[in-house]
Amino acid sequence: MLYREALNKALDEVMQADDTVVTLGEDVGLYGGSFRVTEGLVEKYGEKRVIDTPIAELSIVGNAVGMAIGGLRPVAEIMTGNFSLLAFDQIINHMAKLHYMSNGKIILPIVVRFPQGVSRQLAAQHSESYEQMLCAVPGLRVLSVNDVNYAYHALKYAILSDDPVVFIEHELLYNKKGEVDFTQKLNPFQARIAKEGRDITIVSYLKMVDDVMLAVPEIEKELGCSCEVIDLCSLNPVDYETLKKSIEKTSRFVMVEEDHKTGGYGGQIVSWAAEEMFYALDAPPLRLAGKDVPVPYNRTLELLSIPTPESIARDIVAWGKKNDV
């Protein structure tokens, strides 16, 4: 099953089981979504539950907030994370806070979905990542999706949750293939161990997990070591317990993210490691991230602006040799 098919199946099953679930966004109806995640749903559930909206992101999330207050379970699709900036007032000041400001009287079972990140030559205004800002907002749960099985289970959980959830996908993962265990009772807030190892803990999320996995054979060959790769899955809250167990085993920690390094989300994870795991570490943590530049359109420069499997392998091998891995 493809990543986008897993998301579509999750939406379909929840909409079939619960008629309070609706989805809205630009082109989610007749076109089936910009990345085909809502394909076929308007034919099954009609235009009152699969709602094509104008190009107005603030209105999309604002209407979803109103729907949630009124008793529905809306799933708002924003075409890309870059456009979610236009909806930040609704996301931050209403979606995240109304439950607390109403002393718990208002419940907001709402999901805002969008893809983000560097794709292929979409340039600076369509290649950004905003998890660092969204994870800094108390009241929001933020999930990031790399794995096909996780995509299916986590989206179903998010829609049926009474908490507001930001559900982050990646534009280059929609055609990724994977197996789905439909019988699994998956905890969406638990990090996923993508590969077990004993010498280096490498933590990442979204597409960078796949790039790390491509880099691992070269790292293990050059350093003669074994890498453990962890997909964070939930960015807020973070499953620190899984990270703690891994670092206690390996004593070495690397964080890999696509976002710009300055102010990027990975700084939070490295800060935690420095504060809580200092005496378990045999080397300073390594953090690999995007360059502090607007993402270039030129493909060569675009690839130079973010970690790639080649640069990840090169930088971790150099760090490993320097720190006696």
Side-chain angles (χ1 to χ4, degrees):
M1 177 174 285
L2 300 179
Y3 181 96
R4 61 179 168 82
E5 292 173 337
L7 295 169
N8 177 278
K9 187 170 179 59
L11 261 172
D12 188 8
E13 289 183 5
V14 177
M15 292 185 78
Q16 192 167 27
D18 185 345
D19 61 11
T20 67
V21 178
V22 300
T23 186
L24 67 160
E26 299 157 18
D27 293 331
V28 300
L30 296 177
Y31 189 70
S34 300
F35 299 95
R36 318 311 295 256
V37 171
T38 55
E39 192 169 42
L41 298 181
V42 72
E43 290 83 356
K44 292 182 71 171
Y45 303 107
E47 294 181 354
K48 288 188 177 179
R49 294 184 62 196
V50 183
I51 305 165
D52 275 325
T53 68
I55 303 174
E57 287 76 11
L58 182 68
S59 170
I60 293 169
V61 180
N63 276 291
V65 169
M67 290 174 175
I69 292 172
L72 299 179
R73 291 186 178 275
V75 182
E77 178 179 300
I78 304 296
M79 196 173 287
T80 86
N82 307 275
F83 306 156
S84 72
L85 291 175
L86 296 162
F88 262 37
D89 178 53
Q90 284 294 334
I91 293 173
I92 294 172
N93 281 325
H94 298 267
M95 185 173 153
K97 294 175 180 168
L98 287 182
H99 177 71
Y100 296 88
M101 295 181 72
S102 67
N103 196 25
K105 293 176 181 175
I106 294 177
I107 294 173
L108 286 167
I110 173 175
V111 178
V112 172
R113 296 179 38 244
F114 56 75
Q116 68 168 30
V118 175
S119 182
R120 290 181 184 274
Q121 293 187 277
L122 295 182
Q125 294 171 326
H126 295 76
S127 304
E128 285 290 346
S129 300
Y130 292 119
E131 67 275 18
Q132 77 293 105
M133 291 197 280
L134 293 161
C135 288
V137 180
L140 293 179
R141 295 187 184 274
V142 182
L143 304 180
S144 67
V145 186
N146 165 270
D147 179 59
V148 175
N149 186 57
Y150 183 81
Y152 170 79
H153 289 286
L155 184 55
K156 289 186 74 171
Y157 178 93
I159 296 171
L160 296 175
S161 168
D162 285 339
D163 296 320
V165 177
V166 176
F167 196 86
I168 302 177
E169 300 153 18
H170 195 288
E171 293 182 15
L172 292 182
L173 294 178
Y174 284 113
N175 288 323
K176 177 180 177 178
K177 292 181 179 178
E179 300 292 327
V180 176
D181 180 356
F182 295 106
T183 64
Q184 184 178 1
K185 302 295 183 186
L186 185 143
N187 176 1
F189 303 111
Q190 184 171 10
R192 179 177 67 93
I193 298 177
K195 176 188 175 300
E196 292 190 356
R198 62 179 183 279
D199 301 308
I200 303 175
T201 296
I202 307 177
V203 176
S204 193
Y205 56 96
L206 283 172
K207 179 180 175 290
M208 281 293 118
V209 176
D210 291 351
D211 287 0
V212 167
M213 291 297 286
L214 289 172
V216 160
E218 179 70 12
I219 297 167
E220 293 184 335
K221 174 187 168 188
E222 290 294 322
L223 296 177
C225 70
S226 169
C227 299
E228 182 148 291
V229 180
I230 296 178
D231 173 9
L232 281 175
C233 295
S234 175
L235 303 185
N236 190 15
V238 177
D239 176 12
Y240 287 119
E241 188 59 30
T242 293
L243 305 190
K244 178 174 181 287
K245 288 179 181 175
S246 181
I247 292 173
E248 285 175 341
K249 176 173 61 174
T250 66
S251 301
R252 292 176 175 85
F253 169 54
V254 177
M255 179 74 213
V256 182
E257 62 189 306
E258 186 177 293
D259 193 13
H260 311 296
K261 189 165 189 177
T262 300
Y265 174 80
Q268 168 62 30
I269 305 301
V270 173
S271 170
W272 165 82
E275 291 176 359
E276 303 294 334
M277 302 301 297
F278 183 81
Y279 293 105
L281 291 169
D282 286 342
L286 173 67
R287 183 171 164 228
L288 304 178
K291 305 297 183 188
D292 291 329
V293 296
V295 178
Y297 172 78
N298 177 282
R299 182 61 175 163
T300 301
L301 296 177
E302 183 181 54
L303 289 174
L304 287 172
S305 75
I306 56 172
T308 62
E310 294 76 19
S311 72
I312 292 168
R314 180 195 65 218
D315 292 344
I316 294 180
V317 167
W319 168 84
K321 289 180 176 177
K322 180 180 176 183
N323 290 286
D324 299 325
V325 174

